[in-house]
Amino acid sequence: EVQLVESGGGLVQPGGSLRLSCAASGFTFKNYAMTWVRQGQGKGLEWVSAISGSGRHIYEADSAKGRFTISRDNSMNTLYLQMSSLRAEDTAVYYCAKGSFDGDWTADAFDIWGQGTMVTVSS
Amino acid sequence: DIQMTQSPSTLSASVGDRVIITCRASQSIKTWLAWYQQKPGKAPKLLIYKASTLESGVPSRFSGSGSGTEFTLTISSLQPDDFATYYCQQYNSMITFGQGTRLEIK
């Protein structure tokens, strides 16, 4: 079964850091782009960052630049999002998702999503 | 950056209705457009990719069309399970989501 399981969310103070993980199983992880998408309470989907299958190509939303870093460990079938200088407006459910098509590109439609992990930034 | 604008923001409809949701891109995205369905407390579900290709397992009452800057998602005959929020997403240049269309029961 193709599956993504996020972890690492929690409560963090403004200015703090957090690392999210997304464990993948059931597919050849290194062949697919992966992405992080977040959703604040009652709000729409907001794309955060994406990485190609090889890890060579990375896209970031303006909201992530300079504060969030996406990475992947293809030997561990795991995607990461290192978040620093966190702000209240970063409070959201963070989803990881798998690209639809086999290939070393970065932007894609995303066919498998994890259940999400909640990040709360508050003092 | 490419902006995606969906309309309407909220749509009230009844079981059996045909509904159309529109998504406009601020510049041409060719056919690099996906549609997702999301229910409360759940992750999004991919319905359509490349503007008009139905994802495996998605009912045929869902269809997508368009190219360039204008796209539509059509549900031919609404079923009770279809009441949800729908998002478009472009992947021609980086990634952008529309703001969502909430489909509610009339």
Side-chain angles (χ1 to χ4, degrees), chain B residues 23-89:
Chain B
C23 182
R24 289 186 175 87
S26 59
Q27 62 190 75
S28 176
I29 58 169
K30 306 180 190 72
T31 55
W32 300 114
L33 185 98
W35 289 97
Y36 299 87
Q37 177 193 69
Q38 188 182 33
K39 296 182 178 179
K42 300 294 186 182
K45 174 187 175 183
L46 178 64
L47 300 175
I48 287 169
Y49 60 91
K50 203 120 185 333
S52 62
T53 304
L54 201 65
E55 173 71 350
S56 176
V58 173
S60 59
R61 63 181 180 272
F62 291 90
S63 63
S65 66
S67 65
T69 61
E70 296 268 339
F71 302 87
T72 59
L73 172 70
T74 300
I75 310 173
S76 60
S77 178
L78 267 176
Q79 299 302 300
D81 191 50
D82 300 338
F83 293 96
T85 300
Y86 293 84
Y87 294 92
C88 62
Q89 175 225 323

Side-chain angles (χ1 to χ4, degrees), chain A residues 37 39 43-45 47 59-60 62 95 100-101 107-111 113-114, chain B residues 1 34 36 38 41-44 46 49 55 87 89 91 94-95 97-99:
Chain A
V37 174
Q39 187 170 37
K43 297 189 176 179
L45 302 173
W47 171 69
Y59 288 167
E60 296 173 325
D62 288 344
Y95 295 101
S100 297
F101 289 97
D108 203 350
F110 297 99
D111 61 352
W113 294 64
Chain B
D1 292 3
Y36 299 87
Q38 188 182 33
K42 300 294 186 182
L46 178 64
Y49 60 91
E55 173 71 350
Y87 294 92
Q89 175 225 323
Y91 50 107
M94 308 278 273
I95 293 161
F97 287 93
Q99 82 278 15

Side-chain angles (χ1 to χ4, degrees), chain A residues 21-48:
Chain A
S21 299
C22 171
S25 59
F27 65 99
T28 306
F29 183 69
K30 65 181 176 67
N31 287 358
Y32 294 91
M34 297 291 295
T35 197
W36 288 99
V37 174
R38 69 184 183 183
Q39 187 170 37
Q41 177 69 33
K43 297 189 176 179
L45 302 173
E46 180 188 7
W47 171 69
V48 175

Side-chain angles (χ1 to χ4, degrees), chain A residues 22-105:
Chain A
C22 171
S25 59
F27 65 99
T28 306
F29 183 69
K30 65 181 176 67
N31 287 358
Y32 294 91
M34 297 291 295
T35 197
W36 288 99
V37 174
R38 69 184 183 183
Q39 187 170 37
Q41 177 69 33
K43 297 189 176 179
L45 302 173
E46 180 188 7
W47 171 69
V48 175
S49 189
I51 187 168
S52 64
S54 67
R56 284 196 293 265
H57 310 290
I58 288 174
Y59 288 167
E60 296 173 325
D62 288 344
S63 60
K65 285 178 182 171
R67 299 190 304 128
F68 296 0
T69 302
I70 192 171
S71 63
R72 62 192 297 160
D73 184 338
N74 286 344
S75 68
M76 297 288 290
N77 292 344
T78 303
L79 175 73
Y80 301 101
L81 185 68
Q82 178 69 48
M83 303 187 293
S84 62
S85 303
L86 283 161
R87 308 164 180 161
E89 52 265 37
D90 297 317
T91 295
V93 175
Y94 284 72
Y95 295 101
C96 65
K98 165 190 167 290
S100 297
F101 289 97
D102 186 333
D104 200 34
W105 43 68

